[in-house]
Amino acid sequence: ADRSSASVLLRSVFTFIAPSLDSSAFEEEFKEFAQEELYPFLVEVVDNTTNDVTSDSWEDPLRMKLYFRGDELSEHEVMESLGHDMLFALAALFISLLVTWVHLESLFLALVTLTTLCFSVLLAYIFVNVEEVSLANFLVVFIVFGLGGNSFFKLKDLWARVYLISPMAAPANRVATFYRQAIWQMSPV
């Protein structure tokens, strides 16, 4: 057969229906089917098409690539990826907690610092109307954590310096001095 006239692309469209179910019951059943059966099967087939066949095998290599899409499949794939990526975010938060704890020498201050930084990002997301999430939105998180964490470290060092400058001063005077210097030093940030 002449291979030049052979098709190199085949597109198939599948439609799933369930005449015995109403629309909301069908959506729920299809979502469960897509997440628990269809998606794992398609991922397995995609993995099998990318595997190389060893030279001592009798099998012919699969000469096809499989791409799939669909609302439920895409949503499930995104949620699965986000769940996996959240583990990296939690690991980064844990490492940040340890580093902050060592630097501030207080677990309480480290927890307050990270809680404040996390809430600042969440509050910004709530109050700033974001139409579309882009790479710049993710960079803002790193900037907030970098500058915010540094600010907490500065405040801790400033508190220690105020105490060293006037160890015999009344606590109210020390706090007043701390706030004056903190405002002066934090105003550029």
Side-chain angles (χ1 to χ4, degrees):
D2 184 19
R3 298 201 76 138
S4 62
S5 64
S7 174
V8 294
L9 182 64
L10 173 66
R11 179 178 180 201
S12 298
V13 178
F14 296 95
T15 303
F16 297 90
I17 61 170
S20 62
L21 298 175
D22 63 350
S23 64
S24 62
F26 173 72
E27 285 180 26
E28 191 174 307
E29 289 288 327
F30 181 71
K31 187 173 188 174
E32 182 180 329
F33 165 73
Q35 291 176 359
E36 294 179 8
E37 294 181 38
L38 183 60
Y39 181 77
F41 174 75
L42 291 172
V43 168
E44 181 182 336
V45 170
V46 168
D47 288 343
N48 288 340
T49 61
T50 59
N51 291 341
D52 290 332
V53 177
T54 60
S55 60
D56 60 341
S57 173
W58 288 87
E59 297 178 25
D60 287 333
L62 294 173
R63 290 184 171 84
M64 69 173 200
K65 293 189 188 285
L66 176 68
Y67 302 98
F68 56 88
R69 67 185 174 128
D71 293 340
E72 294 299 329
L73 294 173
S74 297
E75 181 181 331
H76 178 68
E77 191 171 27
V78 166
M79 293 307 290
E80 190 175 86
S81 296
L82 281 176
H84 184 262
D85 291 347
M86 286 303 294
L87 294 176
F88 290 123
L90 289 174
L93 273 177
F94 181 72
I95 292 170
S96 298
L97 176 68
L98 292 178
V99 169
T100 307
W101 185 6
V102 168
H103 185 79
L104 295 178
E105 300 171 352
S106 168
L107 179 60
F108 175 73
L109 289 177
L111 288 171
V112 168
T113 298
L114 286 181
T115 303
T116 304
L117 292 174
C118 289
F119 277 134
S120 67
V121 173
L122 290 174
L123 286 173
Y125 182 75
I126 290 169
F127 288 120
V128 176
N129 187 15
V130 178
E131 296 294 325
E132 186 177 318
V133 177
S134 67
L135 182 61
N137 300 103
F138 292 109
L139 292 177
V140 166
V141 173
F142 293 104
I143 291 170
V144 165
F145 266 75
L147 293 177
N150 189 39
S151 298
F152 278 98
F153 297 155
K154 276 182 165 180
L155 290 175
K156 191 259 183 188
D157 293 340
L158 180 62
W159 179 253
R161 189 166 28 131
V162 166
Y163 181 76
L164 289 174
I165 291 171
S166 54
M168 303 306 287
N173 291 341
R174 220 177 308 143
V175 170
T177 304
F178 170 76
Y179 279 127
R180 275 196 306 274
Q181 291 187 10
I183 290 170
W184 178 256
Q185 287 190 13
M186 295 296 155
S187 60
V189 177

